[in-house]
């Protein structure tokens, strides 16, 4: 699984960094927490994201940044359903790109019917690995850029909608769930302001995506604000 391989790679990098730190001069480390507004055009309903970051400062400007992030629950609207005047025709689902449809014409004993099965919602959590480079703008204000890997996994809930054109009624029910995972690129830019020694206010914009067999390709922008402590 791609997620397992990513976790192994992250662990190996952490061990290597620890060995390097034992020989190189220490520049300290950091730990921080942020909350983010999530925006996307690919998901109908979305929530706030929360992230914990930590790691060592490799040099005065370069840091190795580990993190864990919870995207919150993402959801998709049900497809639109239309019935026809001819009861032998199957009902029509539209805006159904997040699932599949089976349609059947009417028989002597029943009208036409159609069944939609697709993604209703998912909850994604991530393990993050980034390199972050800081540019000093003043004694108390830094601009930073970063990039790395977003190894994520999600629980995907599915929905089934059965529609009968003979009675012009439909039923909606759960269709089970699946676990899925992936590894995507994550990049960001932001600023850190140090009002007092060791404590930073951190604001950043991040871009990443989610894409797997059970999750349609979705791109996200995250607008985050939080605090970070240097030690």
């Amino acid at each position: 699984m791609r997620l397992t391989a990513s976790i192994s790679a992250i662990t190996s990098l952490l061990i290597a960094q620890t060995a390097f730190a034992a020989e190189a001069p220490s520049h300290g480390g950091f730990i921080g927490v942020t909350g983010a507004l999530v925006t996307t055009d690919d998901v109908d309903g979305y929530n706030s994201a929360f992230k914990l970051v930590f790691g060592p400062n490799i040099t005065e400007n370069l840091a190795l940044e580990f993190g864990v992030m919870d995207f919150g629950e993402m959801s998709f609207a049900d497809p639109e359903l239309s019935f026809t005047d001819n009861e032998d025709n199957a009902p029509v689902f539209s805006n159904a790109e997040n699932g599949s449809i089976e349609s059947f014409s009417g028989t002597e004993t029943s009208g036409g019917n159609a069944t939609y099965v697709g993604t209703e919602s998912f909850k994604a959590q991530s393990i993050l690995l980034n390199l972050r480079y800081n540019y000093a703008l003043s004694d108390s204000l830094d601009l930073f850029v970063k990039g790395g890997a977003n190894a994520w996994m999600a629980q995907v809930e599915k929905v089934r909608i059965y529609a009968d054109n003979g009675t012009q009624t439909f039923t909606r029910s759960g269709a089970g769930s699946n676990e899925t995972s992936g590894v995507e690129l994550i990049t960001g830019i932001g600023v850190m302001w140090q009002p007092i020694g060791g404590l930073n206010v951190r604001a950043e914009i991040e871009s990443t995506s989610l894409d797997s067999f059970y999750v349609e390709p979705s791109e996200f922008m995250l607008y985050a604000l939080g605090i970070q402590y240097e030690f």
Side-chain angles (χ1 to χ4, degrees):
M1 179 181 285
R2 289 192 293 173
L3 182 61
T4 302
S6 300
I7 293 173
S8 299
I10 291 171
T11 303
S12 299
L13 283 170
L14 180 58
I15 293 171
Q17 172 60 29
T18 302
F20 173 78
E23 300 176 2
S26 174
H27 293 278
F30 61 92
I31 185 169
V33 62
T34 64
L37 172 67
V38 180
T39 63
T40 177
D41 293 328
D42 301 317
V43 178
D44 297 312
Y46 40 88
N47 212 325
S48 300
F50 296 93
K51 179 177 65 176
L52 173 69
V53 295
F54 55 93
N57 294 316
I58 301 173
T59 70
E60 291 184 357
N61 300 99
L62 185 65
L64 181 61
E65 188 171 285
F66 299 94
V68 290
M69 181 162 61
D70 187 335
F71 275 89
E73 185 174 62
M74 310 283 181
S75 62
F76 296 96
D78 289 344
E80 298 175 5
L81 174 61
S82 301
F83 294 105
T84 65
D85 293 334
N86 186 341
E87 66 177 27
D88 288 335
N89 293 335
V92 177
F93 287 103
S94 56
N95 297 325
E97 59 273 6
N98 293 307
S100 59
I101 302 169
E102 287 188 334
S103 300
F104 299 94
S105 300
T107 67
E108 293 181 358
T109 58
S110 63
N113 62 83
T115 302
Y116 166 84
V117 176
T119 301
E120 178 183 30
S121 64
F122 63 91
K123 294 181 179 180
Q125 292 84 36
S126 295
I127 297 174
L128 308 174
L129 175 61
N130 285 286
L131 280 175
R132 171 171 50 83
Y133 191 86
N134 285 38
Y135 301 86
L137 300 178
S138 70
D139 290 340
S140 61
L141 185 65
D142 282 6
L143 172 72
F144 67 84
V145 293
K146 66 178 190 177
N150 168 21
W152 63 275
M153 56 185 176
Q155 183 78 15
V156 180
E157 301 293 335
K158 304 181 76 175
V159 65
R160 176 184 290 107
I161 302 175
Y162 172 81
D164 189 318
N165 202 44
T167 59
Q168 298 208 344
T169 59
F170 71 93
T171 57
R172 188 181 189 278
S173 60
S177 62
N178 299 97
E179 289 187 352
T180 188
S181 62
V183 180
E184 316 296 342
L185 176 68
I186 183 168
T187 58
I189 186 171
V191 294
M192 280 194 282
W193 172 57
Q194 188 178 77
I196 58 175
L199 183 64
N200 291 312
V201 177
R202 173 172 171 154
E204 62 187 308
I205 300 173
E206 293 178 289
S207 175
T208 190
S209 60
L210 303 178
D211 181 12
S212 76
F213 182 80
Y214 295 108
V215 175
E216 291 293 319
S218 304
E219 297 183 354
F220 298 91
M221 296 293 293
L222 297 93
Y223 301 88
L225 180 65
I227 57 173
Q228 179 172 303
Y229 179 70
E230 301 279 341
F231 54 86

